[in-house]
Amino acid sequence: MSHYPDPHQGSANPYPQPSSGDSFPEENPSSGGFSSGEMVPHGQNPQTGGWQAPPEHYQAAAPQQQALTVIGDITITQHEVITPAGRFPIAGTTWTVTDMSQYNENISTAGIVLAIVFIWFCLLGLLFLLMKEQKWGGNIQVTVQGHGMFHSTMVGVHGPNTVAYVMQQVNYARQLAAAAA
């Protein structure tokens, strides 16, 4: 189905073709889409555009498995670990977690301002200095190694539940590794 009008209909051509010296030659459907001057290697399909690896470099696509959990940029399926560096079996992997999170508790800025404003009302303003502000920060480093591969990822900590959640995911990955062995 074409969204453009047929250039051969009617007397006026809304999309005129450039004259000779065209840098984009017309396709010739009888030769598989290539102009008559181009050679198509025997046994290969013509390339439609972009970079394409030679057929001897193609790898058979692995059957798609459902991702069971994701830790940072590490994806864990039933039988393998998928990282940006590659895929490897989950059996025999070693998982390590390093908690580098930080917890800070300070007097809140609003508490200081309210204490200064209400200091003259029977020293009631000093109670506002008890207002605390909790801040979580830092990272949790998760590493996986096995089968000659090593990958490390950092997961940002945004609250008290982040550490427990990441530990739960890593323990699940460890259970999958033990079950696959």
Side-chain angles (χ1 to χ4, degrees):
M1 181 172 157
S2 175
H3 297 287
Y4 298 103
D6 186 11
H8 302 292
Q9 276 184 347
S11 60
N13 187 354
Y15 303 103
Q17 299 293 327
S19 61
S20 65
D22 181 15
S23 59
F24 300 105
E26 288 188 34
E27 293 182 0
N28 183 357
S30 64
S31 66
F34 284 80
S35 64
S36 59
E38 295 185 43
M39 298 288 293
V40 178
H42 179 68
Q44 290 187 7
N45 292 331
Q47 183 174 336
T48 58
W51 182 84
Q52 187 171 357
E56 62 267 7
H57 291 105
Y58 289 153
Q59 296 178 357
Q64 294 294 326
Q65 298 180 23
Q66 181 179 359
L68 299 178
T69 188
V70 176
I71 305 169
D73 58 358
I74 302 172
T75 303
I76 297 118
T77 66
Q78 184 73 32
H79 300 288
E80 67 182 354
V81 178
I82 304 167
T83 66
R87 299 172 174 243
F88 53 94
I90 195 167
T93 56
T94 304
W95 295 83
T96 308
V97 179
T98 306
D99 183 7
M100 297 181 283
S101 61
Q102 299 173 357
Y103 171 73
N104 294 324
E105 186 173 286
N106 300 324
I107 298 173
S108 71
T109 306
I112 293 172
V113 170
L114 290 173
I116 293 171
V117 170
F118 289 104
I119 191 78
W120 305 111
F121 293 104
C122 302
L123 301 176
L124 185 64
L126 294 177
L127 290 176
F128 288 111
L129 293 177
L130 297 176
M131 292 175 57
K132 300 291 181 183
E133 183 177 59
Q134 301 174 351
K135 291 184 182 179
W136 285 86
N139 296 303
I140 300 171
Q141 181 182 23
V142 178
T143 60
V144 58
Q145 69 183 77
H147 307 284
M149 299 282 286
F150 174 85
H151 185 73
S152 177
T153 187
M154 302 290 267
V155 179
V157 177
H158 303 289
N161 296 330
T162 307
V163 177
Y165 179 69
V166 170
M167 288 299 296
Q168 180 183 12
Q169 288 180 313
V170 170
N171 286 333
Y172 181 56
R174 288 174 179 158
Q175 288 175 356
L176 290 173

